[in-house]
Amino acid sequence: MALFVVVGTFDPPTLGHVALVEAARAMGERVVVFVANNAAKHPLFDARSRCELMRASLSHLDGVDVEIVTGLVAARARDLGAHALVKGVRDATDVSYEIAQADINRDIAHIETILLPAPPHLRAVSSSLVKELARLGADVSPYVPDPVARALADCCQGEQS
């Protein structure tokens, strides 16, 4: 049984993240989504909330689990028996960063990384952009699953100037 791991901070989950998990699921029988923390980022949603938003956004898929991951992602993926990590890339900057990360993950955990390009219509969409739009009161529904749009509306309605 092929198992793939998709990892990200998902703050918030976007339709690009959903497309990535769908692509990973098409490659294997099982996908585990790791919701991670990144010390360099200041999340809008806590890890538990991001996990719930991912679950709600992926509820149409069988064979997909979502969990919070702490510690070394590549080692946890290897311990689960994952065939590879699956990462989405939107542009050359993402590719450069992810290749460096893939090299480290191969060295320390002996796990490969598969890079998948974002669908063309979602390449400009990032969690940072979505958060900024939501804070300004814009409609983010073209970029995020419905549960995420509702959570952003609830979270950001008081921030609009």
Side-chain angles (χ1 to χ4, degrees):
M1 172 169 73
L3 166 66
F4 294 99
V5 169
V6 175
V7 62
T9 52
F10 308 115
D11 184 50
T14 68
L15 291 176
H17 296 135
V18 171
L20 179 63
V21 175
E22 289 171 341
R25 179 62 180 86
M27 294 187 304
E29 293 85 358
R30 188 165 163 239
V31 173
V32 178
V33 177
F34 285 171
V35 175
N37 283 313
N38 182 334
K41 296 181 180 181
H42 305 287
L44 181 62
F45 296 104
D46 64 26
R48 194 165 157 209
S49 297
R50 288 181 277 135
C51 208
E52 289 306 315
L53 288 170
M54 281 302 287
R55 283 188 186 111
S57 300
L58 300 170
S59 64
H60 64 286
L61 294 174
D62 292 329
V64 176
D65 297 312
V66 180
E67 67 179 58
I68 297 170
V69 66
T70 57
L72 197 56
V73 167
R76 173 78 178 121
R78 180 199 60 218
D79 293 347
L80 282 177
H83 286 70
L85 298 170
V86 178
K87 301 295 294 275
V89 291
R90 293 171 296 158
D91 57 23
T93 301
D94 284 354
V95 171
S96 178
Y97 174 81
E98 295 298 346
I99 286 174
Q101 190 76 40
D103 290 342
I104 297 298
N105 289 334
R106 185 182 307 111
D107 286 346
I108 62 175
H110 310 290
I111 191 164
E112 295 298 327
T113 301
I114 298 169
L115 302 181
L116 296 178
H121 68 286
L122 295 172
R123 286 201 183 128
V125 178
S126 70
S127 292
S128 297
L129 174 67
V130 167
K131 286 188 284 194
E132 185 62 24
L133 290 171
R135 286 181 174 125
L136 294 170
D139 176 18
V140 296
S141 62
Y143 313 115
V144 298
D146 290 339
V148 176
R150 288 190 296 275
L152 283 166
D154 291 345
C155 181
C156 296
Q157 74 183 47
E159 293 186 32
Q160 299 168 21
S161 35

